[in-house]
């Protein structure tokens, strides 16, 4: 019977489907402590809801929104067991910790699938920037949801989380990788805006990002980290001649366009007039390249 089931043991529970199977087995074994008040049926249903919510084909933005609403509500109801009519019914913390990790893994798979469809390097910059920004927001939203659920100041009706709040280290590493990719794409876009087609060809700009082409950049684990680091090193080495060219171009932009234009406006004393439009526009254009100034050799 279900009396022999150790609910705090998560051995063999690697994905959400395993968790649903665990509670299905408890239900199958009949009544007992594990199914008091219909607890096992309730949990089996809730985990299946989680699987359904995380397995949809929505946009990254929609998933981020769902994370703060439906998925958050399901997790709260699992942890609190408010809807289970059994005194002392609880969901063991080691089990909740594993459940949260598996949700994080499902979100990672969701993002990997999205970027496998669109590509990280060939997608037009505006779309890539938007997708990456949304993906980073999704990761951070998950950190907030999981952190709120397990913090000492949690406002839900569930039990007090013991010890430190849950931190999804794998999701943190994925967030960092997404931010690195976003920086790379911004650099690529800024270079294409700053350098003429001829200069781009001369510096083989098309090949600059080729070291990332075969990378599964969102597969963040020990095995792939070394190949990613290698691709970054290759990219940095290739950037050498490009950076020299950038320094010259930015200097020329400053000297020939921006400084004289701003100086002329200041001298005329018409900062508020229409004549201030030109330097403002130049500053707007220049801000596009400001991202390059964060590179050590250029700054």
């Amino acid at each position: 019977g279900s009396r022999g089931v150790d609910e705090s043991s998560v051995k063999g529970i690697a994905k959400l489907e395993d968790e649903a199977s665990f509670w299905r087995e408890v239900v199958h074994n009949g009544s007992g402590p594990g199914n008091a008040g219909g607890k096992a049926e309730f949990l089996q249903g809730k985990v299946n809801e989680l699987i359904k919510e995380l397995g949809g084909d929505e946009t990254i933005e929609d998933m981020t929104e769902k994370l703060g609403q439906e998925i958050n509500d399901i997790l709260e109801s699992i942890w609190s067991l408010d809807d289970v009519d059994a005194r002392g019914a609880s969901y063991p913390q080691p089990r909740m910790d594993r459940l949260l990790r598996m949700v994080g893994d499902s979100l990672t798979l969701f993002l990997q699938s999205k970027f496998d469809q669109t590509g990280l390097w060939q997608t037009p910059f505006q779309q890539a920037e938007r997708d990456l920004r949304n993906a980073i927001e999704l990761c951070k939203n998950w950190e907030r949801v999981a952190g709120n659920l397990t913090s000492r100041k949690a406002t839900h009706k569930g039990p007090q989380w013991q010890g430190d709040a849950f931190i999804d280290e794998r999701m943190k590493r994925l967030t960092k990788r997404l931010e690195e990719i976003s920086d790379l794409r911004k650099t690529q876009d800024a270079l294409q805006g700053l350098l003429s087609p001829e200069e781009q060809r001369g510096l083989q700009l098309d090949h600059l990002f080729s070291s990332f082409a075969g990378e599964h950049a969102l597969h963040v684990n020990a095995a792939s980290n070394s190949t990613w680091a290698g691709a970054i090193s290759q990219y940095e080495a290739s950037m050498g001649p490009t950076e020299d060219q950038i320094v010259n171009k930015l200097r020329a932009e400053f000297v020939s366009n921006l400084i004289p234009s701003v100086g002329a406006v200041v001298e005329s004393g018409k900062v508020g007039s229409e004549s201030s439009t030109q330097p403002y526009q130049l500053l707007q254009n220049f801000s596009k390249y400001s991202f390059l100034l964060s590179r050590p050799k250029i700054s």
Side-chain angles (χ1 to χ4, degrees):
S2 59
R3 291 180 183 278
V5 171
D6 179 7
E7 291 181 21
S8 63
S9 170
V10 289
K11 188 178 179 183
I13 308 294
K15 54 186 190 292
L16 290 170
E17 287 78 7
D18 298 332
E19 182 68 0
S21 296
F22 175 88
W23 293 108
R24 184 169 63 247
E25 192 66 25
V26 176
V27 172
H28 178 71
N29 287 339
S31 61
N35 200 22
K39 171 180 154 182
E41 281 106 335
F42 173 78
L43 287 169
Q44 183 191 345
K46 285 295 173 186
V47 176
N48 280 328
E49 278 181 45
L50 259 186
I51 292 167
K52 183 168 177 278
E53 294 290 359
L54 289 161
D57 191 34
E58 51 269 277
T59 64
I60 298 173
E61 280 177 295
D62 288 343
M63 182 63 85
T64 304
E65 192 175 319
K66 187 192 277 189
L67 200 50
Q69 295 174 6
E70 291 91 341
I71 293 171
N72 180 68
D73 291 347
I74 294 168
L75 290 170
E76 280 198 6
S77 65
I78 289 174
W79 180 232
S80 68
L81 290 180
D82 260 3
D83 299 318
V84 174
D85 185 22
R87 182 175 294 176
S90 66
Y91 191 77
Q93 184 166 317
R95 201 156 203 100
M96 192 67 192
D97 184 274
R98 177 61 60 90
L99 186 76
L100 294 173
R101 287 183 199 289
M102 293 187 296
V103 171
D105 291 345
S106 295
L107 291 168
T108 298
L109 286 170
F110 169 79
L111 288 176
Q112 287 170 347
S113 164
K114 286 293 174 192
F115 285 106
D116 281 348
Q117 290 167 26
T118 61
L120 283 163
W121 310 108
Q122 289 75 36
T123 311
F125 174 69
Q126 274 75 19
Q127 183 193 335
E129 185 185 33
R130 184 180 65 247
D131 289 346
L132 287 163
R133 188 172 59 243
N134 290 337
I136 291 165
E137 178 55 31
L138 183 145
C139 294
K140 291 185 173 176
N141 202 27
W142 169 236
E143 285 186 46
R144 282 193 293 273
V145 166
N148 289 341
L149 189 72
T150 61
S151 78
R152 294 188 178 280
K153 298 175 184 174
T155 54
H156 58 77
K157 300 173 187 173
Q160 176 74 58
W161 189 265
Q162 301 302 309
D164 295 335
F166 173 84
I167 295 173
D168 194 331
E169 293 293 350
R170 281 186 280 202
M171 189 60 88
K172 276 190 175 297
R173 289 194 290 272
L174 179 64
T175 307
K176 183 173 181 288
R177 179 67 55 84
L178 285 163
E179 288 169 343
E180 286 176 325
I181 294 165
S182 178
D183 286 352
L184 287 164
R185 287 303 311 258
K186 284 177 186 171
T187 300
Q188 185 183 33
D189 181 62
L191 289 174
Q192 287 169 341
L194 184 65
L195 302 173
S196 69
E198 191 180 348
E199 288 166 328
Q200 290 180 42
R201 282 193 297 275
L203 291 164
Q204 296 186 306
L205 202 59
D206 285 348
H207 299 295
L208 190 59
F209 295 87
S210 61
S211 55
F212 302 106
E215 285 295 312
H216 292 292
L218 298 187
H219 292 257
V220 184
N221 53 48
S224 65
N225 284 350
S226 59
T227 56
W228 174 256
I232 289 284
S233 297
Q234 191 179 327
Y235 160 77
E236 290 294 346
S238 304
M239 270 294 278
T242 308
E243 285 179 325
D244 294 336
Q245 189 90 344
I246 293 166
V247 170
N248 294 333
K249 289 285 286 194
L250 289 176
R251 188 179 291 126
E253 284 282 322
F254 264 124
V255 173
S256 62
N257 290 325
L258 192 61
I259 294 171
S261 181
V262 173
V265 171
V266 172
E267 198 174 319
S268 70
K270 296 178 181 176
V271 177
S273 71
E274 287 182 20
S275 63
S276 64
T277 307
Q278 192 189 2
Y280 173 74
Q281 285 173 339
L282 282 165
L283 281 167
Q284 285 284 87
N285 292 338
F286 197 78
S287 69
K288 181 179 179 179
Y289 312 131
S290 64
F291 186 78
L292 297 171
L293 296 173
S294 63
R295 295 190 59 80
K297 188 172 176 182
I298 294 171
S299 58

